[in-house]
Amino acid sequence: MRYSKDITYGKVNTDILKILEKPGKIYYFLLFIVLSVLSVGVFAWVYQIYSGIGVAGITHPVAWGIYITNFVFWVGIAHSGTLISAILYLFRVSWRNSIYRSAEAMTVFAIMTAGLFPIIHLGRSWYFYYLVPYPSQTMLWPNFRSPLIWDVFAVTTYFIISFIFLYMGLLPDIAAVRDKAKGFKKKIYSLISLGWSGTDREWRHHSSAYLFLAAMATPLVVSVHSVVSWDFAMSIVPGWHSTIFAPYFVAGAIHSGLAMVLTLLIPLRKVFKLEEYITQKHFENLAKIIIFTGLIVAYSYATEFFIAWYSNNIYEQEIYKYRVIGDYALYFWIMVIFNTIVPLLFFFKKMRTSTVSLLIISILINIGMWFERLVIIVTSLAHEYIPFSWGLYRPTWVEIAILAGGFAFFALLFLLFVKVLPAVSISEIKEQIEPPRKGES
Amino acid sequence: MRFSLSRRNFLKMLGFGSASTALSSCSSEPIDKIIPYLIPPEEAVPGIADWYATLCRECPSGCGLLAKIREGRPIKVEGNPHHPVNRGGLCMRGQASLQSLFNPDRIRTPMIKRESGDFQTISWKDAEKEILDILKTKIDQQKTGEIAVITPLIKGSLERLLKKWMDAFHIKNHLIYEPISYEDIKEANRIVFSKAEIPLYSIEKAEMILSFGADFLETWISPVEYSKAFGNMKRVDIKRQLIYIGQRMSLTAANADEWISLKPGTEKALILGLIHFILKEKLHSDLPFLELELIKGLVKDFSLDRVSSHTGVSQQTIERIGKEFSKANPGLALGGGIAVKGLYATDISVAVNLLNYICGNIGRTVRFGHEIGIGRVNPYRDMLRLIESIEQSRLKVLLLYNVNLMYNLPDSSGFQEAIKRIPHVISISQFMDDTAKEANLIIPSSMSFEEWGDYMPRKGVFGLQQPVIKPLFESRGFGDILLSLVRSIDEKQKGQIPWNNFHDYLKNSWKGIHKDLSPEIGFDHFWEGSLRRGGVFRAETDKEVKLSTKVSLDSKIDLKDKEDEKSSTLLLYPSIKYFDGRGANKPLLQEISDPLSKIAWDTYLEMNPETAVALKVVEGDFVSVESKDGRMELPVHIYEGIRKDVVAVPLGLGHIEYGRYAKQRGVNPINLLSKKTEEISGGVIWSPIFVKIERINKKKSLASTQGGRRQFGRGIAQALFFSIGKGILHLKTEKDIKKEIKEGKKRDMYKPHPYPEHKWGMVIDLNACIGCSACVAACYMENNIGIVGEREVIRGREMEWIRIEKYVENKGNGLDIRFVPMLCQHCENAPCEPVCPVYAAYHNPEGLNAQIYNRCVGTRYCSNNCPYKVRRFNWFSHSWPEPLNWQLNPDVTVREVGVMEKCTFCIQRIREKKEVAKEEGRRLRDGEIIPACAQTCPTEAIVFGDLKDPKSRVSKLWNSQRGYRVLEEINTKPSVVYLKKIKREI
Amino acid sequence: MKLFKKPLLIFLSGCVILFFGSGFLKSPYAPVQPIEFSHKIHAGNYELACLYCHSYANRSSYAGIPSVQRCMGCHKITAQNKPEVKKIHEYWNKKEPIPWVRVYKVPDFAYFTHRRHVNKGINCTTCHGEVEKMERIQKVSSLKMGWCVKCHKENQVSRDCITCHK
Amino acid sequence: MKRRASGVLGIFSHLDLVVKTIKRLKEEGHQDLRVSSPAPFHEIEEVLESRVSPVRFFALIGGILGALSGFALTIGTSISWPLITGGKPIISIPPFLIIVFELTILFGGVGTLIGVFLNARLPKISLDTTYDPRFSEDLFGVFVSCPKEKFHSIAEILKSSGAEEVRFEED
């Protein structure tokens, strides 16, 4: 898509580098809130490790709860980042360029947050390294048949690749920052810019590498959430053991991710006055994709119920009955309404174009998607095969605190990011605007 | 710190104390001390278990025990297979008995009460002096009549010694007190057969049992013995039936083929109605004309229609039962359960006797001449007399030995006030219980595991109780206390009682037994033999009895007292967990949930759903229960197995004192009882108690271990039905079995793994399983399973590796309650294994589903993926307050927080036996390895063995016609096969 | 850039040295015992068989520490005047056991039986080193899982986890 | 270790001029050019006639290595201590393929990164003296490395084709 004519190369630099200037009061205020919430979360975790995982509400038979919910949720968030930065890049979707940077950053931070939760969740977190394949004195290795080990590999790979991808894109921009910066800052930036000097050779290899990374990230992103979904699908728990889980989770992930992108971009754009670069058009496009993913998610829900009914498997049927009218019915209805009904509002142009409605709806979708994971995990475990050991799960303050802490951690990373690195790609916007020409010849 | 001192002495003698059971997963060098033997005891090899025969004294039935000793500590008790009472089986309470030995709340030293009311530790010398002073003064004043001794049922040498001792001090009053006694049966036998004793019931022999409120699988007279018999009875012929008549479906009733609920207080009418019917139809065995007329006379106005309308039992039912029972050859009618210990207790027992008599069961299933010990107990009436004499201050000194009168006597009896009036209350007790608290002087008495003794549960059964550990604290055996007291009074007594300690006395008195049992062999030989065997046991011959001509009973149709109609009837019953309350201080018994209510750690009021609706209460709501004599508030438990007009409360909780686990927990329903005794036998009137129930504004969540109450057609607890004509329905044929096996093979995606040496498997016969939960207790004791307490049980975090699942069905005979022992199924295609990221769960070459605790990181994925939900997670590290931790099994590690654990088929036992076999260079024998659960099972419902050995018992049962595997359809291929229960179809 | 190249190098190499060095620097664990008992004298010079004192090794999972009585068996007469032997007499007279300090400890979650190993003919020295040369007993093998497994692997004996894990 | 090179740097502010200049320089036979720009431009690549970047091969090799090591890791470890889980075979390929896939991507990505670094001579400890901060903003730079003698002739070309600035670099 084209930007307004009066944007020149110089203007791009000045506008975007303005973001990195000394932050204002609001920023510090936000930072303070985030840090305090985070510290509560950290305290909760320390307390949990000190007195035993039992201080969390998870119990027999519901041995997985909010922690795993968060893990799945955050991995999901990560996905749309890659979608925008990599997949749309491959499709040469021009409007991606101005928003992909923050989306990709979101990906990296989301993975970092997600990565915490499996460890928090462990009964003996201090032995988490047992899951890492390394030649130990015991001569024993992890069990590669376990979906949890697949997770370890998938998530680490995803993190590393996303990070490389983000960094690749950043290189020229860091150089740009370096060239403006002074003193100590200059030292740091020149260090991390790796001496980028925009020569033809650098550009040539850079853009080809960028293309390949995008090409690799695309199947990766699909695989990662498939693997996450297999944590459930590979088990025999009724309500988990389902073939549609992989596509269903991937769709859900992108659904929530796009919503999160909106939730982040709208304030970003407002605060840093990036209206010229991040335009209504961007948001509208995102909204349109959300409608689509929302419909896929709705379809998956329907399919699940259909299969449960059609399979005539009493265990499956019990689970789905339980979801709709059981102890967790409220969560279920939140999930259905927020994820499938609410996004349909985007069919109305007004809803797509007004930032307020965009923001509200995107937040609702995030909530809905979080509950989706909770419902899937908890309801299935609560009503498994043996009726005698059916049970309930009630979260405790520890879990809530750590949940909040997770969000704080993510927010903190993002806040720091926008002030340290260009949250909008400079060089790639330049690719989109007319380069300066004399025009004679 | 006296305690630590005594512990060190103990270690000094028994060494290797520091075989610490704390899980130390740290690799750094632990600085700990090894304490070697000072003088190594003979034959004791550290690391190798020794077994000593002794006795269980948790209830009056007197089962034989084998105590497993490791490094000088008893770490497990098992039933003594030689002992005729329990024949190797053991109940929940027996399994937990070590927790009374190692109970942290035992009285550790003699104590005296100060003016301020709190106790002060004193030395044994002073304590004895105190007692002697009191006794001597009484002797000098010629007022020994003011002294009374109250003991629980003690038989054999101790009893004889006590007699001698009392003579020495000129003491006359000795009361034997047991809260749950059977004077009505005794009395009835006097009336009917002029033989005042409690007979021996041969349940094995019975083809049909009619139980009138006799819970012989739980607490009635000798539960383990009768459970064993019941199991055998079922095994002999699957179609033998038990019919239970009562207002509440007790555990026994739940195991009956039919539960007949009748109006409260109408049992007598029903029995007499049955007799009437049988006589009318001439179904009775041939009787002399006179006797016939006599009995006819007694039952003349109990015609079918009247009885039926009066009891609320349909005529057909009565007829059917009458016909079948008289046909049964022999049958057996049981009475005298607490449920029928009411105003007419004796009459009911008389009626039961008559019923047995006319059907010719006397001398066949009801056998006299065995003098069951419990018959010796003084009735409640005597206690009331005692209290009276206290009130009239004719009694100044009360010497109590291990009786908790404050708890077991109702407030209405007035004892609680009376005891305060007595100047001298000397309590020789093991625990600081409600009664000891009231004493002026407390003498710590040893546990049965620490003292010599013997016990005769019945004639011909001389159980020998040898100590298996030195007294942990400054306690002494009752016998020793008596002896040392006697020794220190004047010379001439010494001549009569020359023994220095009870051991000598015991040995001496056994010389007598030796003389009349087997004089041919030398005494030492006899003595050692008895020690090894756990006693000497001789089959006593029955005594003939004949109907007394003076048989009589109040033969009007008794209508229940004119109580106002809206009051409902309260039924008390001794809990299978706490018995009469003495179990309450053992954390294990608190933790295991009741087989029927599935509730742990609390008292509750059982109420029929419809009654609950009428009262607008739901599970956990509190109600106030008010009788003429007392009032209490307790939560409601909804139970289908109880009549609309009846509510029930289990005994056992509501102690004021009695240690950290029992103190201030639940309520004590005994205080609702009245002072009135039953006229004829003088027993307690347990029921019916008329109470008003009101909903009060308070609720709690009960510590229930149960989720869903029904199976929802999932075939977890399966049953077959038989009808008298057709035999068993839908029994598998050999062809079906073959077909099953073939299809089973087809279902697999990969080819099965080979099992080179062994393939361990288990078969559980649901027809034998009575849900008594002894296996659960045994498992806890064997495997160091943590006790989590009420709060955590409410959150569903109990750690039981094997649980008794209870399901309610409404098929066939109305209410149908089924039990399934659910433990790790050791699946061949175990879903828990592949999901473990670190190989903590894997399949071993012998078919065990192994769990490596210190490899586990606690992802809990395996638990999610276990369809049987038998994996248990350590949400916290558990603690065993000293000295409870001395019981921990050194062959099983104590699991840390954050670790998954589960049934291992008692791998430590397998390992041990395999090692022995290797050392002896032979193959394992079938039945050599027995897991704790199978070993203790009173009905021998659990069979464990090697499926690779075609001759093993388990292989033979494996493809039974009744066999099925839980959740077969998900093809986990469990190594546990259940045999379907068989119920009478009506 | 140049400036902090050398320090970095030094730092890194330092780490490396510490990391590997620590392995060699670590001396075997040999705690001071309440009595300076010398295996060298007993097992070395007098060539007492291990089983003479550690008498349970072929019968039980524990090898067993000799009782004070066992010590006195000889030392009532022999070498009474030696200071260390005197200590034994003290303990004996006080009727107190000798609080030896543990050197070899298998963690509680692992099951190890001397009986099988000894009766299979594995030399004590295989795991406990040349005790007869030690003045003060010292720990020569780590007793770590890898150490066990190595031997089990070489001798093709069971590597089934629950053979040793309890 | 500055990479000193002698030559002439022309700074431009218009893309088309840069392209024209490069064409001309090439005609004049100056092959050794280095063009700096704020963003990648196909026009420049075309006129420079630079060959396709070899980074793709790094990606490929990385990927292959990843796959191989994936198989090695999963199968190797399973065999080294064979433990049965859930009745599945010791070498159960389907789950292993997931590990293989992830490692393929991982190594491929890392390979790509290495590829860029090696080919684009990154990271540079310090920038060339010919680098101008404005290159990252809106200016273009054409550096012709040549011996001192040719300085003036090239400067001429550059100036005439619209360079706003011309600098000489001597070593």
Side-chain angles (χ1 to χ4, degrees), chain B residues 954-972:
Chain B
V954 72
S955 314
K956 292 210 181 74
L957 289 166
W958 188 253
N959 292 321
S960 149
Q961 291 179 291
R962 293 190 285 134
Y964 74 97
R965 300 199 274 190
V966 177
L967 303 176
E968 191 109 39
E969 62 271 38
I970 51 178
N971 197 35
T972 53

Side-chain angles (χ1 to χ4, degrees), chain A residues 51 54 56 58-60 63-64 121 123-124 130 141 143 146 231 235-237 315 318 384-390, chain B residues 707-708 714 795-797 805 807 834-837 839 854 856-861 864-865 867 869 875-876 896 969:
Chain A
S51 46
I58 28 182
T59 176
H60 185 92
W64 285 4
H121 159 92
R124 302 201 292 175
Y130 282 7
W141 292 75
N143 173 8
S146 165
D231 288 350
S235 79
I236 61 166
V237 179
Y315 309 109
E318 168 62 31
E384 260 200 60
Y385 291 93
I386 299 279
F388 184 87
S389 42
W390 285 351
Chain B
R714 300 183 177 197
R795 292 164 104 184
R797 289 173 177 177
E805 292 190 351
Y807 290 108
V835 298
C836 176
Y839 279 123
N854 63 306
C856 174
V857 291
T859 65
R860 305 189 285 291
Y861 199 168
N864 290 348
N865 212 26
K869 284 281 163 283
W875 299 98
F876 297 101
E896 191 192 34
E969 62 271 38

Side-chain angles (χ1 to χ4, degrees), chain B residues 110-151:
Chain B
M111 289 187 287
I112 191 160
K113 193 179 246 156
R114 318 229 111 274
E115 286 67 18
S116 56
D118 52 6
F119 287 98
Q120 184 212 29
T121 303
I122 55 170
S123 73
W124 268 98
K125 250 172 101 286
D126 303 352
E128 286 187 341
K129 197 170 164 307
E130 286 286 334
I131 304 174
L132 286 168
D133 292 350
I134 297 165
L135 296 181
K136 283 210 184 100
T137 41
K138 289 295 166 195
I139 292 169
D140 302 344
Q141 304 161 344
Q142 309 283 317
K143 284 189 179 163
T144 50
E146 292 181 346
I147 308 172
V149 181
I150 306 180
T151 68

Side-chain angles (χ1 to χ4, degrees), chain A residues 78-252:
Chain A
H79 281 37
S80 61
T82 324
L83 171 87
I84 293 167
S85 56
I87 301 179
L88 296 190
Y89 176 79
L90 291 180
F91 289 112
R92 296 272 181 267
V93 178
S94 57
W95 56 266
R96 99 183 233 293
N97 289 27
S98 46
I99 59 168
Y100 99 90
R101 173 66 49 77
S102 21
E104 186 62 23
M106 181 190 78
T107 301
V108 174
F109 301 149
I111 304 169
M112 289 166 76
T113 323
L116 288 177
F117 282 99
I119 297 175
I120 296 174
H121 159 92
L122 287 184
R124 302 201 292 175
S125 308
W126 48 97
Y127 285 130
F128 75 94
Y129 60 86
Y130 282 7
L131 287 95
V132 183
Y134 69 99
S136 79
Q137 59 90 11
T138 64
M139 306 191 195
L140 197 57
W141 292 75
N143 173 8
F144 292 105
R145 302 182 198 99
S146 165
L148 295 184
I149 288 295
W150 308 346
D151 273 339
V152 174
F153 277 76
V155 172
T156 5
T157 308
Y158 190 32
F159 173 70
I160 295 172
I161 297 294
S162 311
F163 183 81
I164 294 175
F165 193 58
L166 176 67
Y167 194 62
M168 273 288 152
L170 268 169
L171 263 180
D173 294 5
I174 298 176
V177 181
R178 170 198 63 199
D179 296 342
K180 282 270 183 301
K182 292 173 195 46
F184 179 68
K185 271 195 182 163
K186 196 174 185 71
K187 267 204 162 32
I188 301 299
Y189 280 114
S190 36
L191 197 63
I192 55 175
S193 70
L194 309 177
W196 178 270
S197 44
T199 63
D200 54 303
R201 162 197 298 262
E202 284 170 1
W203 279 121
R204 199 166 92 246
H205 300 303
H206 177 272
S207 32
S208 108
Y210 200 68
L211 179 66
F212 277 106
L213 284 171
M216 282 185 276
T218 309
L220 178 62
V221 79
V222 177
S223 83
V224 169
H225 220 69
S226 306
V227 167
V228 171
S229 80
W230 289 335
D231 288 350
F232 306 101
M234 289 293 159
S235 79
I236 61 166
V237 179
W240 284 9
H241 184 65
S242 152
T243 45
I244 69 160
F245 256 41
Y248 162 28
F249 268 48
V250 174

Side-chain angles (χ1 to χ4, degrees), chain A residues 278-290:
Chain A
I278 304 170
T279 61
Q280 278 301 346
K281 195 91 188 73
H282 289 107
F283 293 158
E284 256 192 276
N285 293 341
L286 287 174
K288 284 177 189 159
I289 305 181
I290 286 178

Side-chain angles (χ1 to χ4, degrees), chain D residues 48-62:
Chain D
L48 284 171
E49 297 150 354
S50 46
R51 54 183 177 71
V52 191
S53 156
V55 168
R56 57 181 62 190
F57 298 112
F58 287 84
L60 178 66
I61 291 160

